[in-house]
Amino acid sequence: MDEPVYSIFDIKRYSINDGPGIRITFFFKGCPLSCVWCHNPEGMSRKQTRMYTVSKCIMCGACVQVCPAKALGFGRVHGAAGGGIQWDPDLCTMCGKCAEACPTRAVEMASKPYTPKEIYAEIQKEKPFFEASGGGVTFSGGEPLYQGEKILQLLDYIGSAAVRDGFTLHRTLDTTLYAPAGLVREAVPRCELFMVDIKHMDSRMHRHWCGVPNEPILDNLRMIASMGAEYIVRIPYIIGVNAGPANIASTGRYLSSLKHMPMYVELLPYHDIGKSKHSRMGTVYNPESERMSSPSTADMEEAAEILKKYGVPSRF
């Protein structure tokens, strides 16, 4: 059987926000959701994504010269408007040779293939930090469960390899839980923590903002709670989307109805970090110009108080 390969678009070391202790976080390509405010739009598609930072470009032409498909040109090319380097989407094969040739990294490919052995080798480098802080590895994205059965194979592999090497590895899945119930059920005994996003309690509004309904997410969360899994709920709290007493009270009622409550709810104030990434991808952030803004401290405190009424601990 061929060794599975995983498309990773980022590796973040020394992370302190993706689970307990100091962690290494791997970001997987591909996500079934399409959240308007997505922080990692380069992780949405399973396909390779090219990033171009025009401010870094010195217009040396190295990328133009090496392109085997002759898909690149300066300024206006193939009818495209604007300065810098232009790509013809009909000719570009995403081979990545332009990124390899770029001396300033103005051109970058968003993902790189990794085998389980290669992922574990990166994890091993961080072992001293895990032991000192109670940290571990977090798989994020994109959506790690979008890898299907391959994510179970990876969780098994790194867990067994760590035991072989004499240490216990804390494994966390940072997930939307928008995945087949059977896959989620199989993941529960293979990781020590779930970090689960709840974007909106109204399924119609969830579909509007994220492209999919929320019933599979809420059903899967109820399932892992009934199985006794440890989990944290994270809510991207956004004025104009899900902020306000009605939605947060609905969230509190739902969480308080679960057999096993979350360790806590983390309220994450909105920011538009994804905007600059869309610019580098050549796509448009918030194309419908939806009204979204950051909550005030008072808004966050109000949400925390509402959750508290339902016995749900929170932090922000």
Side-chain angles (χ1 to χ4, degrees):
M1 183 182 295
D2 292 338
E3 189 174 30
V5 177
Y6 304 84
S7 182
I8 305 293
F9 69 87
D10 196 12
I11 300 175
K12 183 165 65 175
R13 301 179 191 277
Y14 319 122
S15 172
I16 58 172
N17 297 311
D18 296 322
I22 299 173
R23 312 187 69 79
I24 181 171
T25 302
F26 293 85
F27 294 83
F28 291 83
K29 280 278 276 175
C31 183
L33 276 64
S34 53
C35 302
V36 174
W37 59 87
C38 182
H39 300 165
N40 296 317
E42 73 274 33
M44 284 187 181
S45 174
R46 291 181 188 268
K47 296 179 181 179
Q48 179 63 280
T49 305
R50 181 186 58 252
M51 312 284 279
Y52 174 52
T53 308
V54 68
S55 62
K56 290 183 178 181
C57 182
I58 58 174
M59 299 292 283
C60 66
C63 57
V64 177
Q65 295 299 318
V66 301
C67 178
K70 305 301 180 186
L72 285 73
F74 296 100
R76 296 178 64 87
V77 61
H78 306 299
I85 300 297
Q86 300 288 331
W87 280 259
D88 184 336
D90 294 328
L91 295 178
C92 179
T93 63
M94 291 289 180
C95 68
K97 292 188 181 299
C98 53
E100 293 172 6
C102 182
T104 63
R105 298 191 68 186
V107 186
E108 297 177 272
M109 306 310 288
S111 65
K112 178 182 174 182
Y114 282 81
T115 66
K117 289 180 182 178
E118 290 169 333
I119 290 174
Y120 183 66
E122 297 299 324
I123 292 171
Q124 278 185 303
K125 296 175 185 177
E126 312 302 313
K127 181 182 173 184
F129 299 103
F130 302 158
E131 294 176 336
S133 69
V137 60
T138 298
F139 293 144
S140 185
E143 169 54 65
L145 290 171
Y146 210 34
Q147 303 293 315
E149 294 290 326
K150 290 195 329 182
I151 195 65
L152 304 181
Q153 296 174 42
L154 181 57
L155 289 166
D156 283 342
Y157 181 88
I158 64 172
S160 298
V163 170
R164 179 198 65 208
D165 293 337
F167 73 105
T168 300
L169 181 62
H170 187 282
R171 299 160 295 180
T172 293
L173 285 184
D174 179 8
T175 173
T176 66
L177 282 186
Y178 192 86
L183 178 64
V184 176
R185 186 180 298 108
E186 289 296 316
V188 170
R190 290 174 163 87
C191 61
E192 286 65 53
L193 179 68
F194 286 82
M195 302 182 75
V196 182
D197 287 359
I198 294 183
K199 323 280 191 182
H200 209 296
M201 288 301 295
D202 182 290
S203 188
R204 181 180 63 85
M205 295 305 297
H206 196 280
R207 185 188 291 272
H208 172 78
W209 291 106
C210 304
V212 298
N214 69 1
E215 285 87 356
I217 295 168
L218 299 181
D219 289 346
N220 280 331
L221 183 51
R222 186 173 294 279
M223 177 180 67
I224 70 168
S226 71
M227 295 175 69
E230 291 294 327
Y231 67 99
I232 294 166
V233 168
R234 300 210 283 191
I235 301 176
Y237 208 51
I238 308 170
I239 300 296
V241 178
N242 60 359
N247 184 63
I248 204 69
S250 180
T251 306
R253 283 193 296 272
Y254 166 77
L255 293 175
S256 66
S257 74
L258 301 181
K259 182 177 180 181
H260 175 51
M261 293 268 279
M263 296 169 64
Y264 57 87
V265 169
E266 186 173 10
L267 297 164
L268 305 171
Y270 165 76
H271 57 75
D272 62 359
I273 191 173
K275 185 181 292 185
S276 64
K277 292 184 176 183
H278 274 285
S279 177
R280 292 165 60 202
M281 290 166 59
T283 52
V284 179
Y285 178 79
N286 188 11
E288 301 300 321
S289 298
E290 302 273 13
R291 293 187 176 183
M292 302 182 293
S293 59
S294 300
S296 65
T297 300
D299 293 325
M300 302 289 278
E301 290 173 344
E302 178 188 47
E305 282 299 313
I306 292 171
L307 291 171
K308 185 178 179 181
K309 290 179 182 177
Y310 291 93
V312 179
S314 65
R315 59 179 66 172
F316 59 88

